[in-house]
Amino acid sequence: DAGVTQSPTHLIKTRGQQVTLRCSPKSGHDTVSWYQQALGQGPQFIFQYYEEEERQRGNFPDRFSGHQFPNYSSELNVNALLLGDSALYLCASSFRGPGNTIYFGEGSWLTVV
Amino acid sequence: QKEVEQNSGPLSVPEGAIASLNCTYSDRGSQSFFWYRQYSGKSPELIMSIYSNGDKEDGRFTAQLNKASQYVSLLIRDSQPSDSATYLCAVNLGASGGSYIPTFGRGTSLIVHP
């Protein structure tokens, strides 16, 4: 049973560029959440997708956008990259519901130079 | 603003001691609580979940929940150097439309020294 998978693992981008990160949820999970984790901080909620729609959004600018596909996989897109976007981006999957546990992928390390 | 608070530490304990990690949350309606461990440079991994008041034990780990006081704690017995990591508290906070947002504290750094 495959867990949550993310790609790419590491990438370096230049300020102003755009990046797309990808995530495949754990088998059977229908909800994908994305988090940004800066060094020394806890994961910060970006947004959550369920049934191919953005259901909840954290305090992130519109430069951050996403998508969920019919097979529940998801993408995170960040436009006009800033140095401050350098972080670990975590994808987490779960079943929809209050008691459901989220499981993380290995993350994508983004460095903006 | 709904929040999850943790002391960032570091918490330093000798090998074999009990490590006690604490977390408070602001949303009184929260029903689900989780502890994750995160090694440096790695993603968080689930240690335990707890939903009811009281204690829940799993091996050397015990999670404690007190909804009236809005705190959740994690005890690690017989601490080992391999337990040295950052421990993240997470709470499923209610949001609009019946959704729940897993919300994390900033984590507590634990150092277990030989």
Side-chain angles (χ1 to χ4, degrees):
Chain A
D1 179 21
V4 182
T5 58
Q6 290 187 245
S7 63
T9 306
H10 294 82
L11 67 167
I12 300 173
K13 291 287 188 177
T14 303
R15 276 181 301 175
Q17 285 188 317
Q18 179 264 347
V19 67
T20 297
L21 308 178
R22 296 176 176 82
C23 172
S24 292
K26 186 177 172 65
S27 178
H29 284 180
D30 58 7
T31 300
V32 172
S33 302
W34 285 93
Y35 291 83
Q36 180 196 67
Q37 188 176 24
L39 209 58
Q41 301 296 317
Q44 296 296 308
F45 176 75
I46 303 175
F47 41 54
Q48 184 182 80
Y49 277 84
Y50 171 70
E51 290 186 336
E52 302 179 48
E53 290 190 17
E54 182 183 294
R55 300 294 178 170
Q56 297 294 336
R57 188 178 184 91
N59 189 25
F60 279 81
D62 292 344
R63 297 187 298 109
F64 289 77
S65 63
H67 190 79
Q68 186 180 34
F69 300 94
N71 66 353
Y72 307 118
S73 66
S74 177
E75 289 182 349
L76 164 64
N77 301 292
V78 187
N79 294 322
L81 284 167
L82 304 174
L83 295 179
D85 294 332
S86 296
L88 174 64
Y89 288 85
L90 294 163
C91 172
S93 76
S94 64
F95 293 111
R96 181 173 172 84
N100 291 315
T101 307
I102 66 168
Y103 294 89
F104 286 98
E106 292 301 310
S108 294
W109 286 96
L110 171 64
T111 301
V112 182
V113 298
Chain B
Q1 173 113 11
K2 297 178 179 178
E3 294 181 338
V4 178
E5 300 285 346
Q6 291 182 260
N7 187 322
S8 62
L11 172 65
S12 182
V13 301
E15 185 175 355
I18 296 175
S20 177
L21 305 161
N22 300 311
C23 171
T24 60
Y25 59 95
S26 61
D27 183 5
R28 187 171 289 277
S30 299
Q31 298 295 322
S32 308
F33 309 87
F34 309 91
W35 283 99
Y36 290 81
R37 176 175 61 198
Q38 186 173 27
Y39 291 112
S40 180
K42 300 294 186 181
S43 66
E45 57 178 328
L46 179 71
I47 299 174
M48 293 186 69
S49 59
I50 186 167
Y51 306 101
S52 303
N53 279 329
D55 295 358
K56 179 181 178 181
E57 186 175 318
D58 184 359
R60 295 187 297 112
F61 298 96
T62 299
Q64 300 175 317
L65 175 61
N66 184 322
K67 291 184 180 179
S69 299
Q70 295 176 243
Y71 84 77
V72 56
S73 62
L74 180 70
L75 301 178
I76 306 175
R77 291 182 300 280
D78 189 24
S79 295
Q80 301 297 310
S82 59
D83 294 326
S84 299
T86 296
Y87 289 80
L88 296 164
C89 171
V91 179
N92 274 2
L93 300 182
S96 62
S99 296
Y100 291 84
I101 299 175
T103 303
F104 288 79
R106 65 179 300 171
T108 299
S109 175
L110 173 65
I111 299 171
V112 181
H113 53 87

